[in-house]
């Protein structure tokens, strides 16, 4: 298990704390050579150094997963420095979110699975229930998420490859040479933080104008945190679902994935999304023991786990 910093810098103490948590899980963490470097008072080393750390973690076949310590900005610098075939030749879990969305999308385009999930600084603070679900996922237990209905949901059933992440980051790379094969249907999920409504509106419309949007068979709207309401809408969901009136696809709103509540999603995996008036169910159609996770109050991250033995465990955050 490697800890690397493809984007912004984090203090060494945070990296050490994250490594200690991973040891408690029974894993053996190793830390990238430049993970705690600092460049131009922002990045964790130069672009070449950050890319070198990622290549080191990819090419070392004793490393089975790569945790990104933090997002922020900088992942884009690595895209032309890491040959895509490296992800195919050395498949392993790459884990992160936010700005890491760009790397995850490139990985998924190679038909390699990755995890849109917590980063090193969140593992260090043992953020629940994210930590528990991520640990279980790394141990081969797949979550099946069940979340309550939302007034902006649109009912239906869809199947496709799960892709997405932070809207600003996803919009920047979607449609580029890193995009997924045209023969794959998509379940798209997006979240955003610290943006204005008009920026979110523009970015989402950019996606709708792309030919690849025709392959979107279902949409999951995650958390939209610290949004500046500069347009007269009651919520981000109200604005975005209004843009989808011409599409007969299921839409799930209020899914707890974002900067403050990043439960893990298996990106690049074939999945099923079923939306009814009562709830939404997201299932990953890949090999592994399945654990049903009932998200009773997404805004409070109140969740019940029904483990493979049928025993429910409740975690309050």
């Amino acid at each position: 298990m490697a800890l690397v910093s493809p984007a912004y810098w984090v203090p060494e103490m945070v990296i050490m704390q994250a490594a200690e948590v991973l040891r408690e899980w029974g894993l053996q963490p190793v830390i990238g050579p430049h993970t705690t470097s600092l460049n131009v008072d922002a990045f964790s080393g130069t672009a070449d150094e950050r890319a070198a750390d990622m290549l080191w973690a990819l090419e070392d076949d004793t490393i089975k997963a790569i945790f990104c310590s933090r997002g922020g900005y900088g992942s884009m610098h690595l895209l032309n420095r890491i040959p895509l075939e490296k992800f195919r030749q050395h498949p392993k879990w790459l884990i992160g979110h936010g700005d890491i969305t760009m790397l995850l999308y490139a990985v998924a385009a190679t038909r390699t699975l990755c995890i849109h999930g917590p980063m090193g600084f969140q593992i260090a603070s043992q953020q629940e229930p994210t930590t528990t679900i991520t640990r279980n996922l790394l141990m081969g237990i797949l979550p099946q998420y069940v979340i309550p209905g939302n007034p902006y949901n649109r009912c239906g059933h869809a199947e496709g490859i799960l892709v997405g992440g932070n809207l600003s980051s996803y919009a920047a790379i979607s449609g580029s040479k890193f995009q997924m094969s045209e023969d794959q249907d998509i379940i798209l999920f997006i979240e955003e933080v610290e943006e204005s409504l008009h920026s979110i509106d523009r970015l989402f419309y950019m996606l709708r104008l792309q030919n690849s949007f025709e392959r979107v068979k279902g949409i999951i709207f995650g958390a939209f945190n610290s949004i500046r309401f500069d347009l007269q809408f009651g919520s981000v969901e109200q604005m975005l679902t209004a843009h989808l009136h011409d599409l007969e696809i299921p839409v799930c709103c209020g899914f707890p994935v974002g900067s403050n509540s990043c439960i893990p999603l298996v990106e690049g995996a074939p999945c099923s999304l079923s939306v009814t008036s009562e709830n939404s169910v997201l299932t990953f159609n890949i090999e592994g023991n399945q654990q049903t996770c009932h998200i009773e109050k997404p805004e409070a991250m109140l969740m019940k786990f029904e483990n493979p033995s049928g025993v429910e465990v409740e975690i309050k955050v």
Side-chain angles (χ1 to χ4, degrees), residues 67-315:
F67 262 109
C68 299
S69 66
R70 183 186 171 186
Y73 176 69
S75 296
M76 179 178 284
H77 301 156
L78 277 61
L79 291 174
N80 281 329
R81 289 176 165 84
I82 301 175
L84 283 182
E85 59 263 25
K86 293 294 183 181
F87 295 109
R88 296 190 189 96
Q89 294 167 356
H90 307 278
K92 60 191 67 178
W93 290 123
L94 176 65
I95 308 163
H97 68 275
D99 180 68
I100 308 301
T101 291
M102 296 185 181
L103 294 175
L104 297 177
Y105 187 62
V107 172
T110 69
R111 299 180 186 256
T112 302
L113 302 184
C114 49
I115 299 176
H116 182 278
M119 290 184 279
F121 76 93
Q122 291 164 313
I123 295 297
S125 63
Q126 301 195 58
Q127 190 179 88
E128 290 290 2
T130 300
T131 301
T132 295
I133 303 175
T134 302
R135 181 195 63 204
N136 290 349
L137 180 53
L138 291 174
M139 303 303 172
I141 301 176
L142 292 170
Q144 180 192 58
Y145 294 115
V146 181
I147 71 170
N150 184 288
Y152 293 109
N153 279 0
R154 297 196 175 182
C155 299
H157 177 84
E159 298 189 1
I161 304 298
L162 187 70
V163 295
N166 175 261
L167 177 58
S168 298
S169 300
Y170 180 78
I173 190 174
S174 179
S176 71
K177 65 181 181 180
F178 300 100
Q179 70 178 349
M180 300 182 65
S181 171
E182 294 181 357
D183 64 350
Q184 294 176 294
D185 289 337
I186 293 171
I187 303 294
L188 174 67
F189 72 97
I190 61 172
E191 54 84 15
E192 191 53 270
V193 60
E194 296 180 350
E195 282 289 352
S196 65
L197 276 186
H198 84 266
S199 292
I200 293 173
D201 181 76
R202 180 177 63 248
L203 290 167
F204 192 71
Y205 247 95
M206 285 172 56
L207 297 181
R208 284 228 54 184
L209 291 171
Q210 294 177 4
N211 291 333
S212 60
F213 201 89
E214 297 176 358
R215 295 186 280 131
V216 175
K217 304 304 180 183
I219 295 179
I220 297 171
F221 289 132
F224 295 93
N225 298 311
S226 303
I227 302 302
R228 299 189 299 279
F229 280 72
D230 56 352
L231 296 175
Q232 295 302 307
F233 287 96
S235 67
V236 177
E237 292 83 359
Q238 181 188 31
M239 179 181 72
L240 293 181
T241 53
H243 294 333
L244 301 170
H245 65 89
D246 59 322
L247 300 179
E248 295 183 357
I249 61 174
V251 178
C252 166
C253 297
F255 200 95
V257 58
S259 61
N260 296 331
S261 54
C262 201
I263 61 173
L265 298 174
V266 185
E267 192 158 353
C271 68
S272 302
L273 174 66
S274 296
V275 182
T276 68
S277 58
E278 295 182 354
N279 59 39
S280 297
V281 180
L282 179 64
T283 305
F284 300 104
N285 301 321
I286 56 177
E287 185 177 352
N289 296 321
Q290 194 172 93
Q291 177 185 61
T292 303
C293 303
H294 298 273
I295 304 172
E296 298 185 338
K297 295 181 180 179
E299 69 281 0
M301 287 302 286
L302 174 60
M303 180 178 295
K304 284 185 178 179
F305 298 132
E306 183 178 315
N307 63 29
S309 65
V311 178
E312 288 191 349
V313 180
E314 183 176 290
I315 293 181

